[in-house]
């Protein structure tokens, strides 16, 4: 496992190859981050990604679009002003008429309330007798109530419910996208740190070979060792340098991937340098196994869709009901008597009922059968999703516990390999070993160190998978 002492080594070896690498780059690179900021911590990366990742911002924009649609649906409940006027410029009758009306639908029950003002001048034929008013006109108020069909639900209220569901679904989709983005950001971050640690391991191997080469040269010059030993060690040094260059390349690729998630205040990507490398991977993300602590946007979205289908079933059953509307209106004329006579004086209160019964309801019954089938399918989909999520979390828990043991074994193996490499180098110095055996011990120790890096990376990735699977917004930086 790489330690903080390797960070300057990693920075030095990366700087050595940067000039050549930059000369071959054609596409523009993200801006290199300020090296004065120090090591990049996971919480800072997740905070940057949550605020500036384009996919997350796209999800927020879709939520705003759904909220705009929700506002437009409310237009069905807007207060409406209407006006009607007519006159007869010629003919036996000379009546003119103006009617102003304000109507507002009820939002919680079926029907509407209205108020209006009418005024007329001149005479009207008998079949237009209702157009007469007194000299100052007539004021009226009234309401229409749906007693059966459309009482509990109608198309306008279902459209509002559907728009609310669209907002919630857009938000759930935004949360699913955000969890996925943060999970990928954690992957990029841990892979970048692991790549830096691998560079440190190979840099240490190169350093040992270079130091040994200088010592062997002195021994050869003193006649204590044959010259071929220098060639053998130089061959091994070249192979180690090749591995180091490959590790440097992998670190550059990992840093480039990380720049997709680490962004400045303008949203532009930042390219981390080896100076920003932490000395080790972050602590394992604690997992939440309790059902009460889990939050899965896909599960919430499935339940929301099921509730919306149930609401549509209520609307379909509403179509089976007969329409029975009650209307109540009160009016009063003002001013001197008009041509309509004294019948316009005083308060006029009206009460009426209107009934219509569909005799054939095959359309409504067919929609009900269809919606009931959709409800049954949605219920099974939710059940499968619950089982799938539970199985996924159980499987990740098993892997996490197994990797804890694997990490402990790998650390022990590395400790033993380090001891063997140190002992073999001491024996080689005293002339009791050969170069082949020393290189074998050192490379075995390096491989053990790489194995520790790999299993620690897998353990951290599993903990991040658990955080994503349980929707842990705190650990994912989405609170």
């Amino acid at each position: 496992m790489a330690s903080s002492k390797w960070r300057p080594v990693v920075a030095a070896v990366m700087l050595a190859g940067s000039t050549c690498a930059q000369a071959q780059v054609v596409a523009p690179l993200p801006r290199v981050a300020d090296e004065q900021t120090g090591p990049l911590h996971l919480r800072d990366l997740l905070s940057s990604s949550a605020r500036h990742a384009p996919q997350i911002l796209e999800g927020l924009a879709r939520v705003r679009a759904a909220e705009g649609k929700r506002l437009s649906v409310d237009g069905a409940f807007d207060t409406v002003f209407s006006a009607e006027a007519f006159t007869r410029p010629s003919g036996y009758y000379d009546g003119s008429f103006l009617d102003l009306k304000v109507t507002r639908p009820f939002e919680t029950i079926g029907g509407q309330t209205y108020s209006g003002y009418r005024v007329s001048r001149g005479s009207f034929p008998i079949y237009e007798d209702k157009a007469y008013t007194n000299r100052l006109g007539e004021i009226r108020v009234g309401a229409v109530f749906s007693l059966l069909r459309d009482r509990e639900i109608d198309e306008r209220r279902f459209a509002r419910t559907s728009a609310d569901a669209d907002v919630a679904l857009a938000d759930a989709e935004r949360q699913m996208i955000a969890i996925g983005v943060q999970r990928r950001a954690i992957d990029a971050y841990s892979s970048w740190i692991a790549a830096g640690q691998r560079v440190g391991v190979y840099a240490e191997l190169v350093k040992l070979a270079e130091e040994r080469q200088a010592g062997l040269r002195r021994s050869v010059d003193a006649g204590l060792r044959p010259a071929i030993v220098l060639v053998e060690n130089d061959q091994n040094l070249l192979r180690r340098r090749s591995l180091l260059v490959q590790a440097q390349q992998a670190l550059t690729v990992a840093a480039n991937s990380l720049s997709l998630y680490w962004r400045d205040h303008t949203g532009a990507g930042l390219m981390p340098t080896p100076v920003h490398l932490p000395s080790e991977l972050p602590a394992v993300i604690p997992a939440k196994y309790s059902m009460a602590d889990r939050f899965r946007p896909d599960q919430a979205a499935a339940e929301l869709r099921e509730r919306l289908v149930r609401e549509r079933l209520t609307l379909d059953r509403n179509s089976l009901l007969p329409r029975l509307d009650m209307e109540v209106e009160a009016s009063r004329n003002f001013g001197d008597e008009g041509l309509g006579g004294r019948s316009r004086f005083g308060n006029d209160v009206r009460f009426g009922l209107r009934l219509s019964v569909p005799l054939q309801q095959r359309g409504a019954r067919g929609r009900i059968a269809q919606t009931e089938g959709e409800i049954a399918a949605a219920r099974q989909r939710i059940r499968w999703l619950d089982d799938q999520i539970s199985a996924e979390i159980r499987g990740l828990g098993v892997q996490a516990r197994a990797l804890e043991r694997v990490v402990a074994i790998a650390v022990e193996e590395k400790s033993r390999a380090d001891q063997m490499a140190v002992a073999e180098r001491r024996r080689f110095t005293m002339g009791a070993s050969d170069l082949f055996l020393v290189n074998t011990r050192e490379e075995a120790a390096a491989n053990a160190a790489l194995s520790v890096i790999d299993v620690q990376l897998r353990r951290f990735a599993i903990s991040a998978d658990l955080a994503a699977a349980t929707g842990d917004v705190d650990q994912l930086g989405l609170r």
Side-chain angles (χ1 to χ4, degrees):
M1 177 175 171
S3 64
S4 58
K5 69 176 182 180
W6 285 345
R7 195 183 303 149
V9 177
V10 174
V13 297
M14 290 299 294
L15 182 61
S18 62
T19 304
C20 180
Q22 290 176 0
Q24 298 175 2
V25 172
V26 177
L29 292 173
R31 180 171 67 85
V32 177
D34 183 8
E35 295 188 355
Q36 302 300 319
T37 57
L40 173 62
H41 298 292
L42 180 59
R43 62 178 180 275
D44 298 325
L45 172 69
L46 293 179
S47 176
S48 171
S49 176
R51 286 179 170 85
H52 303 296
Q55 303 99 312
I56 295 178
L57 297 181
E58 179 187 1
L60 288 170
R62 293 186 183 279
V63 173
R64 290 196 297 271
E67 290 172 344
K69 179 182 177 182
R70 169 66 173 79
L71 180 61
S72 69
V73 168
D74 278 340
F77 298 91
D78 286 348
T79 301
V80 177
F81 170 79
S82 60
E84 180 184 359
F86 73 85
T87 184
R88 287 183 170 86
S90 63
Y92 181 80
Y93 297 100
D94 61 350
S96 299
F97 174 88
L98 173 66
D99 188 358
L100 307 176
K101 187 176 182 181
V102 176
T103 304
R104 181 175 180 82
F106 294 126
E107 296 195 19
T108 56
I109 60 174
Q112 63 183 14
T113 181
Y114 62 88
S115 61
Y117 171 76
R118 298 189 302 135
V119 63
S120 64
R121 294 289 185 271
S123 60
F124 298 89
I126 187 65
Y127 49 83
E128 294 179 8
D129 183 74
K130 64 179 297 184
Y132 283 112
T133 66
N134 283 355
R135 294 296 181 182
L136 296 183
E138 175 196 75
I139 294 178
R140 69 188 185 280
V141 294
V144 178
F145 300 94
S146 299
L147 302 182
L148 292 176
R149 182 188 292 188
D150 294 347
R151 181 174 181 272
E152 299 295 335
I153 190 172
D154 57 18
E155 291 288 351
R156 290 178 302 184
R157 280 174 283 169
F158 177 75
R160 170 183 280 179
T161 301
S162 180
D164 286 334
D166 287 341
V167 173
L169 287 171
D171 191 58
E173 182 179 359
R174 174 196 64 80
Q175 292 168 333
M176 284 188 285
I177 291 173
I179 288 174
V181 168
Q182 298 299 80
R183 178 65 189 88
R184 293 191 293 274
I186 293 174
D187 263 346
Y189 179 75
S190 57
S191 298
W192 171 64
I193 295 177
Q197 291 176 334
R198 293 187 189 102
V199 170
V201 170
Y202 288 119
E204 186 71 13
L205 275 178
V206 170
K207 180 182 176 182
L208 289 171
E210 289 175 343
E211 292 174 348
R212 184 178 301 113
Q213 185 77 347
L216 289 174
R217 188 176 300 278
R218 288 191 297 270
S219 297
V220 170
D221 291 342
L224 300 177
R225 292 182 184 271
I228 194 64
V229 175
L230 282 175
V231 178
E232 182 182 0
N233 190 72
D234 192 50
Q235 180 185 24
N236 185 66
L237 176 59
L238 290 173
R239 185 169 57 83
R240 292 183 180 186
R241 283 174 176 168
S242 175
L243 294 173
L244 176 59
V245 170
Q246 295 176 42
Q248 293 169 3
Q249 181 183 12
L251 178 58
T252 302
V253 171
N256 182 63
S257 298
L258 187 61
S259 68
L260 293 173
Y261 306 100
W262 191 24
R263 297 174 180 269
D264 61 17
H265 66 281
T266 67
L270 293 174
M271 176 72 79
T273 67
V275 175
H276 298 104
L277 275 168
S279 59
E280 58 186 10
L281 285 171
V284 173
I285 300 174
K288 293 181 178 180
Y289 293 98
S290 170
M291 288 295 295
D293 293 333
R294 297 179 195 171
F295 171 67
R296 287 287 297 246
D298 50 348
Q299 196 172 21
E303 293 172 354
L304 182 63
R305 290 189 178 95
E306 195 256 354
R307 289 197 297 270
L308 183 60
V309 176
R310 287 185 179 277
E311 191 72 14
R312 191 165 74 242
L313 179 61
T314 303
L315 178 66
D316 294 337
R317 287 172 175 168
N318 173 73
S319 302
L320 293 175
L321 299 174
R323 177 173 297 281
L324 179 61
D325 295 339
M326 178 181 70
E327 182 176 1
V328 179
E329 180 181 290
S331 62
R332 183 179 179 86
N333 278 258
F334 295 90
D336 296 335
E337 180 181 331
L339 296 181
R342 294 190 58 79
S343 61
R344 268 66 182 175
F345 280 103
N347 296 325
D348 185 21
V349 178
R350 295 191 301 158
F351 174 85
L353 292 173
R354 183 168 52 250
L355 174 67
S356 65
V357 181
L359 298 180
Q360 289 181 306
Q361 299 175 324
R362 288 174 293 184
R365 295 186 185 279
R367 289 193 299 272
I368 290 174
Q370 177 184 352
T371 306
E372 287 176 341
E374 292 178 8
I375 290 174
R379 192 179 299 119
Q380 294 303 319
R381 186 162 52 247
I382 292 173
R383 180 181 179 182
W384 165 250
L385 187 58
D386 289 343
D387 294 343
Q388 186 181 34
I389 291 172
S390 297
E392 177 185 1
I393 292 174
R394 285 195 305 271
L396 290 172
V398 170
Q399 294 182 58
R401 288 186 289 272
L403 280 171
E404 288 292 339
R405 296 193 295 271
V406 173
V407 167
I409 294 171
V411 170
E412 286 294 325
E413 182 184 358
K414 176 184 178 300
S415 176
R416 303 295 186 271
D418 287 341
Q419 293 174 13
M420 292 296 295
V422 171
E424 201 64 45
R425 279 195 296 269
R426 188 179 299 113
R427 293 180 67 241
F428 180 77
T429 303
M430 294 185 298
S433 180
D434 57 32
L435 191 58
F436 174 79
L437 196 53
V438 170
N439 288 330
T440 301
R441 296 296 190 194
E442 288 178 347
E443 290 171 9
N447 289 333
L450 294 175
S451 295
V452 171
I453 293 171
D454 290 339
V455 296
Q456 287 180 335
L457 180 61
R458 286 168 52 201
R459 180 181 61 176
F460 185 76
I462 290 296
S463 71
D465 285 338
L466 271 170
T470 56
D472 194 337
V473 294
D474 291 320
Q475 299 295 339
L476 295 173
L478 293 173
R479 175 61 64 188

